[in-house]
Amino acid sequence: MFQLKLADTTNRKVLDKKGNITIFEYDHDMSVEPGSAMSSYYASKMNVRRRQALFELNGNNSVIVQAGAMQWMAGAIEVATNVKGVGDFAKKLISSKVTNESAVKPCYKGNGLLMLEPTYKHLLIEDVGAWNGMVIDDGLFLACDANVEVKTVARTNLSSAIAGGEGLFNSCLVGKGYAVLESKVPREELIEVELQDDVLKVDGSFAIAWSNSLSFTVERTTKTLIGSAASGEGLVNVYRGTGKVLMAPL
């Protein structure tokens, strides 16, 4: 039996909580040397702060995490890999090379608490079931409920993938449960667009996540090459159909 005190303090606060996941944020770095105190102070004023994800395991749920992301765990928690054999490992190894994700993602299950390593990126808790398959940018995945499957999807149009700057392959989260993503942009600045048999055109690779139900292509802004050149926009990323798109402003 263990007791853990992780309530809000003058320096640590609960930033978000959904399901069995809690996101903590530290207002500023208190453990600094004199030489780095000034830069640490101004960093905190610019929202450059440490954040951590805590998972509560109750025996009925389990969590899949990026390899090496665990900081500590308390309680009766077991760790297993998500590898089912040599062939499965080879498949995951190939997927990891094209999506910048770890090939082996350990699964934590049991009763207790699991805390992930601190990061200066922004941690987003997403309800995967609401996305109808959530395609995410490379390097965004941090953790998810074990009910969520992490797949690799390929662009159906090779030229669109290269011209659109989104890459040939992406990780896709499928199932019902929550996932934690590491974003360079805070939730307050992200733009979420819901499409209902409609079209979204984006000038650049600003989309960090989108529904797998959407068709992704790269198209000219006008019907002719001359018109596109004259408009100064050229090619745009086009998301067509019914689903959601999550965009960063920069």
Side-chain angles (χ1 to χ4, degrees):
M1 180 67 73
F2 64 90
Q3 290 184 340
L4 185 66
K5 297 181 180 180
L6 274 176
D8 287 356
T9 67
T10 56
N11 193 45
R12 180 182 58 237
K13 65 178 181 180
V14 173
L15 195 63
D16 194 10
K17 182 175 176 60
K18 292 178 183 176
N20 67 320
I21 309 170
T22 303
I23 305 298
F24 290 99
E25 181 181 75
Y26 295 83
D27 184 68
H28 57 278
D29 288 340
M30 301 180 70
S31 304
V32 295
E33 297 293 331
S36 60
M38 182 179 294
S39 60
S40 178
Y41 172 81
Y42 285 108
S44 67
K45 294 301 180 182
M46 294 301 296
N47 201 32
V48 180
R49 299 168 182 167
R50 287 183 297 134
R51 300 169 183 93
Q52 286 185 281
L54 176 71
F55 292 83
E56 300 177 44
L57 302 179
N58 57 20
N60 297 319
N61 61 332
S62 51
V63 179
I64 296 173
V65 177
Q66 275 279 50
M70 186 273 290
Q71 186 186 53
W72 57 262
M73 54 185 176
I77 297 178
E78 298 179 356
V79 186
T81 67
N82 62 334
V83 178
K84 301 176 182 178
V86 176
D88 186 49
F89 176 73
K91 181 180 178 181
K92 286 179 168 57
L93 187 61
I94 295 173
S95 297
S96 71
K97 296 298 182 182
V98 298
T99 61
N100 291 328
E101 311 286 358
S102 59
V104 179
K105 297 179 176 63
C107 180
Y108 297 82
K109 58 182 179 180
N111 288 277
L113 298 175
L114 169 67
M115 180 71 90
L116 302 190
E117 289 277 358
T119 176
Y120 284 100
K121 291 184 179 180
H122 302 274
L123 299 181
L124 314 177
I125 305 177
E126 289 296 325
D127 183 358
V128 176
W131 283 82
N132 191 23
M134 185 180 190
V135 182
I136 59 175
D137 232 357
D138 293 349
L140 234 66
F141 177 82
L142 180 62
C144 67
D145 291 330
N147 293 331
V148 176
E149 182 182 0
V150 184
K151 302 171 61 178
T152 300
V153 293
R155 296 280 129 237
T156 56
N157 187 310
L158 181 62
S159 60
S160 293
I162 296 174
E166 297 292 354
L168 299 177
F169 301 91
N170 290 94
S171 293
C172 181
L173 309 179
V174 181
K176 292 184 178 180
Y178 289 107
V180 179
L181 308 179
E182 283 188 295
S183 171
K184 296 179 181 179
V185 179
R187 167 67 68 183
E188 292 80 3
E189 292 187 356
L190 291 173
I191 304 165
E192 185 173 309
V193 181
E194 292 193 22
L195 300 175
Q196 185 67 41
D197 292 326
D198 214 329
V199 180
L200 173 67
K201 298 182 179 181
V202 183
D203 183 16
S205 54
F206 295 104
I208 66 170
W210 57 93
S211 297
N212 196 36
S213 55
L214 294 173
S215 169
F216 170 70
T217 58
V218 176
E219 302 173 7
R220 295 194 298 266
T221 52
T222 65
K223 294 182 179 180
T224 64
L225 287 173
I226 296 177
S228 295
S231 68
E233 297 299 339
L235 300 175
V236 291
N237 290 345
V238 180
Y239 302 86
R240 184 178 281 107
T242 299
K244 300 197 295 183
V245 180
L246 195 60
M247 295 188 298
L250 48 84

